[in-house]
Amino acid sequence: MPQYSIVYIRVSVDDLTLVRQQGDTLAHYCHKMNRRVSFTLNLREALSAAPAAITAGVQQVALYLSTPATLVPLGEFNESDAEVLYRAATADSVRRRVLFDALPSLGYVLLYGVSENVCKAVEEAFPHTTFHNALLPLLQRREGVDGEGVTLQVYVHEDQTDALCWQGRKLMALNTFTTRHTDDATFFLLGMVEALAIPADSLTVKVAGEARKQQAVVQSLLRFVSSAEAIGDSRNALPYDLAQAVRFEVQKA
């Protein structure tokens, strides 16, 4: 399918962002979520307000959902057990559609749950929709991850911090924390490093995300680790995970 016929949509608690490639540029539109109304109405408003260059003639939607996920070893995963595994890992009693992204090169499956209302609203608007967790493109592109050392790949956004720990190109752990303040992110990230028994002086931390939060977390972590730096283009109007998704798909095409 032609790349230009695909619209990429990222859904988080705060925003609904639409992106479409136009030649060498990306057309995008960001809708701020109104939490007082349904997701269906938010989606309808976003599609109505977005430029026709984004919404006209859409053949396929790639939907990226910013929601916590859990890793399951690929060799132990059976699709028929997905919901049981998800419930056991998250203790989530809310009715959700349990979805997964396979990562054969890493030997894992990324398991997550999505509100049925979100799924149905998107499928009604766009019958040809593929669902993905927003962490998927970070795991696929692995920006800033190289060498044989230990790298902590961090993504700060909204009131959330995602952390992916790598030994060389091997994924060791993944976690998502609710972090309303810089000190929250620092506390949870250092706790994750300690739980993995990684000496702080052997760790390289790469931080992506919203510019202000990104720099604050880097400076905070440098009090405890010897190497922490910002990655990604903080001037990019797109959320970091969505920008990584588009780049990955364009390169793959």
Side-chain angles (χ1 to χ4, degrees), residues 129-144:
T129 297
T130 57
F131 292 85
H132 308 285
N133 192 280
L135 287 171
L136 178 65
L138 276 67
L139 290 159
Q140 290 171 322
R141 295 203 76 235
R142 308 169 207 176
E143 185 175 25

Side-chain angles (χ1 to χ4, degrees), residues 55-239:
T55 58
V58 176
Q59 296 182 35
Q60 182 176 334
V61 163
L63 185 72
Y64 290 85
L65 299 134
S66 182
T67 185
T70 187
L71 289 173
V72 179
L74 189 59
E76 300 174 15
F77 180 72
N78 188 317
E79 187 173 351
S80 62
D81 298 330
E83 186 158 355
V84 173
L85 289 169
Y86 173 77
R87 301 295 177 196
T90 63
D92 187 352
S93 59
V94 177
R95 176 173 171 76
R96 301 186 192 277
R97 185 182 300 184
V98 178
L99 304 171
F100 66 91
D101 292 308
L103 291 156
S105 64
L106 297 176
Y108 285 105
V109 167
L110 198 60
L111 194 64
Y112 57 101
V114 185
S115 163
E116 274 291 346
N117 292 335
V118 171
C119 294
K120 289 178 179 177
V122 175
E123 288 171 334
E124 287 176 5
F126 303 105
H128 301 291
T129 297
T130 57
F131 292 85
H132 308 285
N133 192 280
L135 287 171
L136 178 65
L138 276 67
L139 290 159
Q140 290 171 322
R141 295 203 76 235
R142 308 169 207 176
E143 185 175 25
V145 178
D146 52 29
E148 297 299 322
V150 180
T151 302
L152 186 63
Q153 187 184 13
V154 177
Y155 175 35
V156 288
H157 57 104
E158 290 121 348
D159 287 338
Q160 186 170 305
T161 297
D162 300 314
L164 296 76
C165 193
W166 304 83
Q167 173 72 58
R169 304 288 283 183
K170 180 181 178 181
L171 183 63
M172 299 172 64
L174 175 153
N175 216 328
T176 295
F177 309 104
T178 299
T179 52
R180 294 181 175 85
H181 307 284
T182 300
D183 287 345
D184 296 337
T186 303
F187 173 81
F188 286 119
L189 291 170
L190 292 177
M192 181 178 178
V193 170
E194 183 178 0
L196 293 169
I198 301 169
D201 58 359
S202 69
L203 179 70
T204 297
V205 185
K206 308 283 188 175
V207 184
E210 300 169 15
R212 180 180 56 81
K213 292 182 179 181
Q214 180 188 37
Q215 293 299 330
V217 169
V218 167
Q219 293 306 313
S220 179
L221 286 172
L222 283 172
R223 295 179 294 158
F224 306 99
V225 302
S226 57
S227 176
E229 62 178 295
I231 61 171
D233 186 354
S234 60
R235 298 167 299 176
N236 195 329
L238 297 181

